Amino acid sequence: MPGGSILGNRVVRLEDPTLVTGAGRYVDDLVAEGTASVVFVRSPVAHGTVGAVDVSVAEGMPGVVAVYHAGGDGLGLAPVQGFPMLPEAFNRPVFAGEQVRYVGDIVAAVVAETAAQAVDAAGAVEIDIDPLPVVVSAVAGLAPDAPLLFPETGSNVCFTTAFGADDDPLVGAEVVAELEMVSQRLAGAPMEPNGCLAVPGDPEGGVTCWISHQAPHSVHPAIAGALGLDPATVRVVCPWVGGGFGPKAAMYVEYVVAAAAALRLGRPVKWVETRSEDMVTLVHGRDYTMTARLGLSRSGRIVGLDAHVVANGGAYPAIGAVLPMLTQMMAVGVYDIPKVRFQASTVVTNTTPVGAYRGAGRPEATQLIERILDVAADQLDIDPAELRRRNFLDPAAFPLTTTTGGAYDSGDYAKALDAALDAAGYPSLREEQARRRRDGDRVQLGIGVSAYVEVTAPLGLHVEYGAVEVHDDGSATMAVGTSVHGQGHHTAFAMIASDVLGIPMERIRLVNSDTAAVPRGAGTMGSRSLQTAGNAVHAASTEVLGRARHIAAHLLEASP
């Protein structure tokens, strides 16, 4: 960019030629000689006791290479850990041997020469399941007579968090607004369903797993551990990935089965989900039931907040189970709330496991505080925007730590709100709304007001790998620990490196999503790629430039 920085200017995206020409290869596009396909036989029952599993017909069908299940050859795979903070009792068996706990639970896996043959054979597997009582909602799972998914634990609660004193935070309030709401369950549904191609390596037993994933370095040790392999013999690579949104940051037992089968059979094994399969097996998001009581003075100043969350962890709790911790931290939003009491419980249910989806725990906190503020504004007959303005954190108080422990560096929320209200023509909109109500207009006007602050890089995601190497021909290579699945990382990171090094963007290559090429990385999640990996690329570029100055200074016999 002549005379100035490339940053903040319009550029031609580096990813687009591959995307628009269809040249990018996704998991299902990958071809390896001798590849077999694996199809999973899943429970059609949400909760039940597994009896006989008859695979005799399936084993004799055309093209069938192997059939695996808990009662026969289960590949010797132990239960897979859901999340380190959770009790091991809730770990997921790879194959449901005694009980199925949700629709989609894996009972058997069929490997065949082609995907069509595997589908046909999977349909011939007969499963005897004796249905058990079902618990679907987290609230129902707390009932004293609720069926237990894991009877040995004595409870369906897998995780709890609490904050605040035992005394009522609403003491002294002149008005109390109350609300119960649901942050509904959803399926992430990325454009490309989940998938894995496992290719066995050299005679020492290594394996390469090509997966559609957001964080190859985090799933790498999990796969190696589940297979009982030296991590050095396991390689995880993500090719082009058609969307992630959080669900593709999870560890899936299907990866382990595909890899174990590939090692057992000595040939590549591929698994690619159908859309309908993806909707019930890729981890879901949200599914909170939240209650809030907000105490205020009659002038509209907040006295305190009392909030309670019941979160649904699904059948086998994973990272979704601990997300209420983030809801707790962000419960006050952008407001000065002097007293807070927050309690949350995560409950296992006979539903698809819940993971991290787009913001994961933080949007739920915003939903809660913003909805209860609207209720309070209605009770006090104060304009919702004005009620928010009266309770914003004071810009002069920054940097600060909120009541619930959030570290905020800066903010002028009233300024941002006023800019938004002005851009929207808020006073005239309110006048139009009042007119339509007064006249009984058939078409009414709804106006929503919300203020929001986000925490990025939570749960230790503030660290990321980045390296930059300049080559003899004047081009450069960036290696980063994040993983691309549609966000434009190559363009963004190349802009940063180009701005520091002066190398044209199109001559800067991106290497990522390969545990053999990048030594470590947290992956792409937590709304953090540009902040963490971008800063890592900037730091590495600056370091390279400094070294180049020293080398040039030495050759030219000048000071750096």
Side-chain angles (χ1 to χ4, degrees):
M1 194 66 59
S5 171
I6 192 174
L7 302 179
N9 289 284
R10 186 174 182 175
V11 298
V12 177
R13 281 168 44 97
L14 300 175
E15 299 85 358
D16 290 353
T18 304
L19 288 168
V20 300
T21 60
R25 295 195 304 163
Y26 299 80
V27 167
D28 202 26
D29 298 320
L30 301 179
V31 177
E33 185 177 354
T35 297
S37 291
V38 60
V39 168
F40 293 93
V41 181
R42 300 183 182 276
S43 173
V45 175
H47 196 198
T49 302
V50 179
V53 179
D54 187 353
V55 300
S56 58
V57 174
E59 287 177 324
M61 292 183 68
V64 172
V65 176
V67 181
Y68 305 110
H69 63 102
D73 183 355
L75 290 166
L77 297 172
V80 174
Q81 186 178 43
F83 194 74
M85 295 175 62
L86 303 176
E88 291 186 3
F90 295 103
N91 288 352
R92 177 178 182 172
V94 173
F95 295 108
E98 299 178 358
Q99 281 190 21
V100 290
R101 294 183 172 89
Y102 76 103
V103 172
D105 215 348
I106 297 173
V107 179
V110 177
V111 182
E113 297 292 345
T114 69
Q117 290 171 332
V119 169
D120 289 344
V125 175
E126 295 185 4
I127 316 166
D128 181 15
I129 300 177
D130 185 16
L132 293 170
V134 172
V135 55
V136 175
S137 77
V139 173
L142 291 174
D145 59 347
L148 297 179
L149 272 70
F150 299 85
E152 66 273 24
T153 65
S155 171
N156 285 324
V157 176
C158 63
F159 179 80
T160 61
T161 182
F163 175 86
D166 293 332
D167 58 326
D168 189 348
L170 309 188
V171 171
E174 297 174 303
V175 175
V176 175
E178 299 188 41
L179 171 72
E180 179 176 340
M181 65 170 289
V182 172
S183 182
Q184 73 271 19
R185 171 180 286 255
L186 53 81
M191 186 177 292
E192 179 200 16
N194 205 353
C196 172
L197 171 63
V199 182
D202 54 41
E204 295 181 5
V207 65
T208 295
C209 292
W210 298 81
I211 59 175
S212 183
H213 206 267
Q214 298 172 223
H217 289 86
S218 68
V219 79
H220 173 266
I223 292 175
L227 297 174
L229 296 178
D230 180 347
T233 67
V234 177
R235 178 188 180 196
V236 176
V237 192
C238 301
W240 284 82
V241 176
F245 311 119
K248 283 189 184 174
M251 169 64 185
Y252 291 94
V253 297
E254 289 89 344
Y255 304 154
V256 178
V257 173
L263 291 169
R264 176 74 64 86
L265 300 172
R267 61 187 293 187
V269 174
K270 180 189 284 188
W271 163 68
V272 177
E273 285 191 323
T274 63
R275 172 59 63 197
S276 57
E277 188 181 17
D278 195 75
M279 293 289 282
V280 296
T281 62
L282 200 71
V283 293
H284 288 177
R286 314 292 190 228
D287 205 345
Y288 279 19
T289 298
M290 304 185 285
T291 58
R293 297 167 61 236
L294 189 69
L296 306 97
S297 67
R298 295 199 182 278
S299 64
R301 292 292 298 180
I302 298 174
V303 172
L305 171 67
D306 192 6
H308 187 258
V309 169
V310 180
N312 194 335
Y316 300 103
I319 190 173
V322 304
L323 294 177
M325 291 192 303
L326 299 180
T327 312
Q328 172 182 298
M329 183 175 67
M330 300 305 300
V332 299
V334 296
Y335 306 105
D336 183 7
I337 304 180
K339 294 182 181 179
V340 176
R341 179 169 61 189
F342 183 97
Q343 297 173 309
S345 300
T346 303
V347 182
V348 292
T349 66
N350 298 117
T351 62
T352 299
V354 173
Y357 173 83
R358 292 189 66 84
R362 291 100 79 195
E364 294 89 328
T366 299
Q367 283 180 287
L368 184 65
I369 188 64
E370 294 299 308
R371 283 285 305 279
I372 193 63
L373 275 168
D374 280 346
V375 173
D378 186 60
Q379 286 185 215
L380 291 166
D381 195 24
I382 297 175
D383 183 273
E386 177 57 30
L387 182 61
R388 287 166 170 81
R389 185 181 290 104
R390 293 181 191 181
N391 289 283
F392 281 146
L393 292 163
D394 184 354
F398 288 92
L400 57 82
T401 300
T402 66
T403 311
T404 51
Y408 289 20
D409 54 6
S410 62
D412 191 339
Y413 306 123
K415 184 177 181 180
L417 175 64
D418 289 340
L421 296 178
D422 182 64
Y426 188 71
S428 61
L429 286 175
R430 282 297 185 196
E431 291 173 4
E432 175 67 11
Q433 182 185 56
R435 184 196 65 76
R436 294 191 192 190
R437 291 179 176 178
R438 184 177 61 252
D439 297 346
D441 199 308
R442 182 171 176 272
V443 179
Q444 293 294 313
L445 178 63
I447 302 171
V449 179
S450 178
Y452 179 44
V453 68
E454 170 71 283
V455 54
T456 59
L459 300 176
L461 294 175
H462 59 287
V463 177
E464 192 49 271
Y465 177 84
V468 174
E469 180 180 1
V470 178
H471 307 296
D472 291 344
D473 64 357
S475 66
T477 296
M478 307 174 294
V480 300
T482 56
S483 187
V484 170
H485 49 274
Q487 309 90 330
H489 285 189
H490 192 180
T491 299
F493 299 156
M495 289 179 72
I496 294 170
S498 176
D499 189 63
V500 175
L501 299 173
I503 298 173
M505 285 175 54
E506 60 271 17
R507 302 204 66 202
I508 302 176
R509 175 172 169 257
L510 173 65
V511 175
N512 74 139
S513 304
D514 185 344
T515 59
V518 182
R520 61 185 181 276
T524 296
M525 63 197 82
S527 307
R528 54 180 280 287
S529 293
L530 193 58
Q531 297 97 316
T532 54
N535 271 300
V537 167
H538 185 273
S541 300
T542 303
E543 176 70 16
V544 167
L545 183 62
R547 293 184 186 182
R549 283 199 181 102
H550 279 280
I551 294 171
H554 175 73
L555 294 173
L556 297 173
E557 299 181 351
S559 71

